[in-house]
């Protein structure tokens, strides 16, 4: 069964007019059930990630300051969200969902988190709606518990996974691959193990040809035994924070390429949703729903 991490805390209250579409975390599970892609049995509610698991990816000083709500006003502004106990609890629950996903992926081949993909969170700071890096925390968890020896992170959000690149900059057991908009935030990029920066308005054909060439080479060269996939739908041409020119159909074909190669190589895969900022929430939902639909088709 496709096991999906979801908790009502994922939909966090924000000030009126905030640009982050928090409503999608409430609507996506509803839409998946409405379309018959999932039932209530597919979903599980994570608990809080422990400090010991979090501080393998993040500095303990940063974690303590975050938990105690001691970030400076400047740090809070960089995070993009007003800081509160509930927000920090939300971040910890998302991270635990991704850890739980890893166990389900090892058992069933794939598992997914309705939220997550918080790839802008560094070892020691928050950035751009990301306070704790869920996939980095989970990757360290797998390594520590000897559940994986070589991990591949496939980050296909329109924004570079700068926090993830920084966290694993000196960890040879984790290979970070980010394919993103060249002109997008972050404007000062970090160095992933493989960065592919795409020109403005890159279309489906160009994107998919590149990805279809890269993924088999990565499988051959890196021989991963676990994959994390960040499936941001901010690659769409309609996205107000993105610069690429992809269609919903192209985005689905992108997801299919990733699931297909993981399945063919028998590599467990964990998938977190990442960004999506199209003005029409229906477009965001449709693109995210396609990811789950494809996971069901490939694995179940």
């Amino acid at each position: 069964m496709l096991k999906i991490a979801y908790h009502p805390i994922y939909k966090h209250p924000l000030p009126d007019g905030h640009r982050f579409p928090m409503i999608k975390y409430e609507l996506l599970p509803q839409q998946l059930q409405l379309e018959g892609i999932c039932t209530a049995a597919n979903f599980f509610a994570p608990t809080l990630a422990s400090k010991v698991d979090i501080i393998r990816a993040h500095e303990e000083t940063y974690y303590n300051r975050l938990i105690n709500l001691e970030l400076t006003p400047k740090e809070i502004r960089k995070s993009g969200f007003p800081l509160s106990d509930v927000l920090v609890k939300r971040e910890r629950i998302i991270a635990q969902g991704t850890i739980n996903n890893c166990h389900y992926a090892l058992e069933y081949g794939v598992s997914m988190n309705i939220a997550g993909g918080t790839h802008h969170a560094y070892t020691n700071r928050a950035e751009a709606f990301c306070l704790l890096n869920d996939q980095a925390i989970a990757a360290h968890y797998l390594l520590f518990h000897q559940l994986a020896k070589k991990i591949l992170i496939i980050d296909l959000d329109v924004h570079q996974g700068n926090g993830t690149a920084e966290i694993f900059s000196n960890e040879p057991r984790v290979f970070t691959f980010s394919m993103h908009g060249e002109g997008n935030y972050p404007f000062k990029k970090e160095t992933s193990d493989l960065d592919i920066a795409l020109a403005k308005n890159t279309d489906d054909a160009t994107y998919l040809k590149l990805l279809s060439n890269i993924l088999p080479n990565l499988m051959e060269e890196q021989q991963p035994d676990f994959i994390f996939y960040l499936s941001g739908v901010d690659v769409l041409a309609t996205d107000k924070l993105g610069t690429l020119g992809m269609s919903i159909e192209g985005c689905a074909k992108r997801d299919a390429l990733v699931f297909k190669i993981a399945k063919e190589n028998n590599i467990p895969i964990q998938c977190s949703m990442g960004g999506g900022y199209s003005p029409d929430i229906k477009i965001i939902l449709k693109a995210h729903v396609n990811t789950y639909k494809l996971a069901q088709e490939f694995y179940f």
Side-chain angles (χ1 to χ4, degrees), residues 85-274:
D85 281 317
V86 176
L87 180 68
V88 176
K89 183 179 179 184
R90 173 186 184 267
E91 295 286 311
R92 291 175 64 194
I93 287 174
I94 290 171
Q96 185 60 43
T98 299
I99 290 172
N100 293 150
N101 283 160
C102 292
H103 288 284
Y104 285 123
L106 288 165
E107 186 174 358
Y108 300 125
V110 63
S111 189
M112 305 172 79
N113 199 334
I114 287 287
T118 44
H119 60 163
H120 299 309
Y122 280 68
T123 51
N124 62 354
R125 68 180 189 268
E127 256 191 38
F129 313 137
C130 304
L131 285 79
L132 296 172
N133 193 315
D134 67 302
Q135 291 185 324
I137 291 166
H140 272 294
Y141 176 91
L142 288 176
L143 294 172
F144 180 81
H145 291 283
Q146 299 182 336
L147 296 171
K149 293 179 180 177
K150 186 61 185 278
I151 292 168
L152 171 62
I153 298 179
I154 300 174
D155 187 336
L156 301 184
D157 195 271
V158 80
H159 306 104
Q160 192 213 31
N162 54 342
T164 305
E166 182 264 340
I167 288 171
F168 293 114
S169 58
N170 294 308
E171 177 48 85
R173 295 174 295 175
V174 178
F175 188 95
T176 54
F177 162 46
S178 179
M179 192 154 103
H180 49 264
E182 183 178 26
N184 261 118
Y185 175 92
F187 302 110
K188 180 184 179 299
K189 307 287 194 287
E190 299 293 338
T191 303
S192 308
D193 292 304
L194 176 60
D195 282 302
I196 303 295
L198 301 171
K200 192 173 182 181
N201 299 320
T202 293
D203 61 13
D204 292 350
T206 305
Y207 188 105
L208 296 169
K209 184 178 180 182
L210 266 170
L211 188 62
S212 63
N213 288 332
I214 289 166
L215 290 178
N217 290 334
L218 285 179
M219 296 301 119
E220 182 67 29
E221 293 166 5
Q222 299 304 318
Q223 299 285 307
D225 54 9
F226 198 95
I227 293 172
F228 287 94
Y229 175 37
L230 204 171
S231 59
V233 302
D234 44 11
V235 294
L236 296 176
T238 53
D239 198 273
K240 62 186 178 184
L241 300 184
T243 58
L244 302 185
M246 293 188 73
S247 68
I248 285 180
E249 294 75 23
C251 194
K253 288 176 182 177
R254 173 203 70 172
D255 293 340
L257 282 172
V258 176
F259 288 135
K260 182 174 185 285
I261 201 152
K263 184 74 161 49
E264 285 177 350
N265 287 276
N266 199 30
I267 304 169
I269 184 168
Q270 186 280 332
C271 181
S272 291
M273 288 302 99

Side-chain angles (χ1 to χ4, degrees), residues 2 32 112 229 231 233 251-252 254-255 259 271-273 285-297:
L2 177 62
L32 289 170
M112 305 172 79
Y229 175 37
S231 59
V233 302
C251 194
R254 173 203 70 172
D255 293 340
F259 288 135
C271 181
S272 291
M273 288 302 99
L285 286 177
K286 186 174 182 181
H288 279 317
V289 163
N290 282 340
T291 311
Y292 288 84
K293 186 178 179 182
L294 285 160
Q296 289 281 34
E297 290 174 359

